[in-house]
Amino acid sequence: MKKYKIYTALLPLFLMLALVGCSSSDDDYQAAEPLQSDNQQVHFSGENSETTLLDPTDPTSYTINLKVARNTTKGALTVPVKVEKETTAGVAVPDSVVFADGDSTATLAVSIPDTATTSGDSYTYSLKLVSDQTDPYSYLGGGITFSGSATVPATVKLKCWISGVLSTKWEETALDLSGGHYRISNFMNSGYALDLTITDGKLTVSVPSSSPLYTENSDYGLYIYWYTDDYLHLYPYGKDGGVDINDFVILNSSSYNGYMEQSKYGWFMLEEIQTTTMDAPSYWAYFCFQFE
């Protein structure tokens, strides 16, 4: 009984010591810095893509324009950008991003070295917005940090021919842009690109959005005319190969396009084709290709 009474009497003392110990451990706690009342919550947009595929034949693909946003359009604002150590040497990033008065978004251009030309070449970049106009306590789009990568895609080879017009096959090289998207960057040595997209066994033919080639929608499908102000020439066997195509009109239509996955064989319709040695154009010929 005496021991029990002693332990009971000492219990309040133990509690006091425990409270003192807890209190002393909190002495290092510091409250987070409050945001300024006019904080603009500058952050990377959630629309930015973390991966980029480079096209060695298209210099514009080596500039990655990242979108940065804020919660106001009032006033000009310059926000410093820190390049983290994970960034590959040679990747160039401005030391700040600038909002113009009246704009809620700004562009930060990340430049990849033009030496990235070999399939598999890869560059990474990691960036941080450093300003009292950011909000580290809220989830805003892509946040105040952003990491991305840029890679030269793999290439594939295609054997091509045009039924009834050019039976001798030639080879084209295409970039594998992933997801069934292939870009022949120098289609028939013309200096212009042609895109092939294969989805669920269906083929779509198009040109990049930056292409000067004229396109026109019709009841039959999308026409792609291989000329601008003057005829553009195509040389399937090279400029010294003896064949010069000066009239080439593609009709992109699900009714005429086709692709066989098992044999990797595809085709699309040419509404019109003529070489410099033909007296008249040939109509409704099929352009055929097969992945090697």
Side-chain angles (χ1 to χ4, degrees):
M1 290 294 292
K2 291 181 180 179
K3 290 183 178 180
Y4 176 77
K5 289 180 179 179
I6 293 173
Y7 294 154
T8 303
L10 292 176
L11 182 58
L13 178 59
F14 292 146
L15 291 175
M16 288 178 62
L17 292 174
L19 290 173
V20 171
C22 291
S23 176
S24 63
S25 65
D26 290 343
D27 288 344
D28 295 333
Y29 172 77
Q30 293 181 354
E33 289 291 333
L35 299 179
Q36 298 181 22
S37 59
D38 60 348
N39 186 280
Q40 298 185 24
Q41 294 184 311
V42 178
H43 62 280
F44 286 102
S45 169
E47 299 174 8
N48 295 319
S49 176
E50 296 178 352
T51 59
T52 300
L53 291 176
L54 305 172
D55 182 348
T57 66
D58 179 10
T60 62
S61 72
Y62 283 63
T63 299
I64 304 166
N65 292 314
L66 298 178
K67 183 178 178 181
V68 184
R70 61 176 176 169
N71 64 11
T72 182
T73 61
K74 296 180 180 179
L77 177 67
T78 298
V79 177
V81 177
K82 179 183 178 182
V83 179
E84 305 284 15
K85 63 181 180 180
E86 295 83 2
T87 301
T88 304
V91 175
V93 183
D95 57 10
S96 63
V97 59
V98 179
F99 290 87
D101 184 21
D103 290 343
S104 62
T105 60
T107 299
L108 179 66
V110 177
S111 300
I112 306 300
D114 58 9
T115 53
T117 56
T118 305
S119 174
D121 284 353
S122 183
Y123 291 78
T124 60
Y125 51 94
S126 182
L127 313 174
K128 184 177 182 179
L129 302 172
V130 185
S131 170
D132 57 8
Q133 291 299 322
T134 61
D135 178 359
Y137 312 123
S138 301
Y139 178 78
L140 300 165
I144 62 175
T145 61
F146 184 81
S147 296
S149 64
T151 306
V152 178
T155 58
V156 295
K157 301 291 185 180
L158 300 84
K159 287 294 185 181
C160 303
W161 66 99
I162 300 174
S163 61
V165 180
L166 298 176
S167 57
T168 301
K169 297 180 180 179
W170 72 90
E171 187 177 78
E172 296 281 353
T173 300
L175 296 170
D176 184 351
L177 299 178
S178 77
H181 183 191
Y182 302 90
R183 174 167 295 167
I184 304 174
S185 300
N186 187 21
F187 183 58
M188 284 198 278
N189 300 289
S190 66
Y192 294 93
L194 183 70
D195 286 0
L196 305 174
T197 304
I198 301 167
T199 306
D200 298 328
K202 297 180 180 180
L203 172 68
T204 299
V205 185
S206 61
V207 293
S209 58
S210 59
S211 175
L213 298 180
Y214 177 70
T215 61
E216 181 182 24
N217 283 302
S218 72
D219 294 337
Y220 300 101
L222 177 69
Y223 284 102
I224 303 173
Y225 297 90
W226 214 262
Y227 54 79
T228 51
D229 296 334
D230 191 8
Y231 283 102
L232 298 177
H233 291 248
L234 301 99
Y235 308 94
Y237 309 110
K239 293 186 177 181
D240 298 324
V243 176
D244 179 350
I245 301 174
N246 64 346
D247 191 354
F248 193 80
V249 181
I250 297 172
L251 173 57
N252 175 58
S253 170
S254 58
S255 299
Y256 301 110
N257 296 352
Y259 185 76
M260 300 175 65
E261 188 68 44
Q262 186 172 4
S263 59
K264 298 183 178 180
Y265 166 68
W267 63 91
F268 57 85
M269 178 66 73
L270 296 178
E271 189 269 343
E272 184 177 336
I273 179 174
Q274 184 175 7
T275 69
T276 53
T277 59
M278 294 169 61
D279 295 330
S282 178
Y283 298 97
W284 307 114
Y286 276 105
F287 186 102
C288 307
F289 65 90
Q290 187 168 28
F291 288 101
E292 296 181 4

